[in-house]
Amino acid sequence: LMFCGKSSGEYGPDFDHLKYPKDLSVLTSKNNTPNQNESWEHLYCKLSNDFLVISGSKKRLRVFDLNRNGQPIHSYCSTFPIRCIDIDTNSNLIACGITGMDRNTGAEQALIVFHKIEKNIVTSEPEFLPPTTITLPYRDPINTLQFSNDGLYLSCSTALESRFLIISLRKIDEPRLVMKSLRSIDTSLESEGITDTKLFPGNPNLMCVTSTAFNSPPIVINTKIQCIDGVQTVAQPTMLIRLDELGSKIHKCEISPRNDSIAFLDRNGSVYIMFAPTMMDNEKRRIVLVDMVSNAYRAHESAALRFSFDGHKLYVLDRKGMLYVEDFSYGLPQGHEVTKCKQIN
């Protein structure tokens, strides 16, 4: 346990030693006055190397410093409810997906708010610049946001029309749409549309998209974003792999840092790994069932997946608080403590 706290803003090394920060202004945005009794519900959280970012009800976003025992250092109150968040690994940028409203027409509009973080030259403490907002050319609400491993791209998907996009952040002050596509639309009550989008580490030409919708198994695509030329050009991706074996109820995917494997989690809690050395050679592709964790009716309740930096271990944390560690370099196949995965394909 690095630190813990409450939605009211108290934090500490454990729940018996909680305190409010000395500067109460970090618990509220500049538009509000600090109120220690005002509580809000945590809904989403993301980690970078330096910060924990939490958003939730009452349109709140709060940032905690991992290097200072979890001290809250920034708070932001959005004009509209925050639907999803992400922070890049290097702790330079926070993205929030919101659904705004056009002042003139009253029509809904999909917006992404960027919070840029810079270090003070003198004190080296993080400083949060005024947020900037971009508008997507769709009214469809944003469902997921994912930074690429290097923070140069942001992949996102929309909720109703199952669109998935990539935004280039190479010029942070001029984000631009570089790829767009869509999956088949499922309007049934069980459908969640696109549930996850992940760009491959170090290779933005490859991307994995998962869905919980009719006839929408996980796919791996060639984004073609490094082939486009001209300011106005938007890439049209092509599909490389369609994983019908895994079904159409996948909640999460996680790509190995080695770029040769993808972990998948489906609605009933099954954890799969697809091994494909090149992602292009179907002959060498293998899919195995690794473990079973707690099931989840909706994607936001599903387990979290993360590979270790060397790609040898897969960590899975489910909604019941159970942590699973799958170590693929633990021993030889004949070892008595080593269990075989069930091969699917």
Side-chain angles (χ1 to χ4, degrees), residues 53-278:
V53 183
I54 295 178
S55 72
S57 59
K58 298 187 179 180
K59 309 170 187 176
R60 292 288 174 84
L61 176 95
R62 193 168 289 167
V63 182
F64 302 82
D65 194 334
L66 302 181
N67 301 316
R68 288 193 279 176
N69 300 317
Q71 179 178 332
I73 58 172
H74 181 68
S75 185
Y76 171 74
C77 188
S78 170
T79 309
F80 302 100
I82 301 172
R83 293 183 55 89
C84 50
I85 59 171
D86 200 15
I87 181 170
D88 78 306
T89 306
N90 298 319
S91 310
N92 295 322
L93 197 62
I94 299 171
C96 304
I98 63 175
T99 303
M101 190 171 293
D102 190 287
R103 292 180 179 177
N104 298 322
T105 64
E108 288 189 341
Q109 194 74 52
L111 308 172
I112 299 177
V113 180
F114 291 104
H115 301 260
K116 193 175 180 181
I117 308 168
E118 291 184 351
K119 283 192 175 182
N120 186 290
I121 300 175
V122 179
T123 64
S124 294
E125 292 187 356
E127 294 182 344
F128 292 82
L129 304 185
T132 58
T133 304
I134 63 170
T135 304
L136 297 187
Y138 310 108
R139 295 182 181 180
D140 198 15
I142 298 171
N143 202 32
T144 65
L145 287 174
Q146 303 281 356
F147 279 104
S148 62
N149 198 49
D150 54 12
L152 297 179
Y153 297 97
L154 179 72
S155 61
C156 67
S157 66
T158 64
L160 304 175
E161 297 176 358
S162 289
R163 300 179 185 273
F164 55 97
L165 326 164
I166 297 179
I167 296 167
S168 172
L169 303 172
R170 288 184 174 275
K171 294 182 180 179
I172 186 58
D173 296 323
E174 300 177 19
R176 73 183 187 97
L177 182 66
V178 292
M179 190 213 78
K180 63 178 181 178
S181 188
L182 68 152
R183 303 210 67 182
S184 56
I185 299 174
D186 180 1
T187 57
S188 67
L189 293 177
E190 283 195 350
S191 170
E192 296 179 78
I194 295 175
T195 52
D196 209 355
T197 57
K198 290 282 173 61
L199 287 162
F200 278 53
N203 187 2
N205 271 332
L206 291 178
M207 178 180 177
C208 184
V209 182
T210 67
S211 305
T212 300
F214 177 73
N215 198 27
S216 297
I219 57 173
V220 177
I221 62 169
N222 182 350
T223 64
K224 297 187 175 180
I225 60 176
Q226 293 185 328
C227 302
I228 60 176
D229 53 2
V231 177
Q232 300 299 324
T233 307
V234 178
Q236 294 294 323
T238 57
M239 186 165 62
L240 298 175
I241 301 174
R242 177 185 166 101
L243 297 167
D244 291 289
E245 306 94 318
L246 297 181
S248 299
K249 295 181 179 179
I250 300 296
H251 277 159
K252 295 271 179 68
C253 68
E254 183 68 17
I255 299 165
S256 168
R258 301 159 66 94
N259 270 354
D260 60 359
S261 306
I262 309 177
F264 296 96
L265 172 74
D266 73 7
R267 181 183 283 180
N268 68 9
S270 299
V271 179
Y272 301 95
I273 284 188
M274 181 193 74
F275 172 73
T278 65

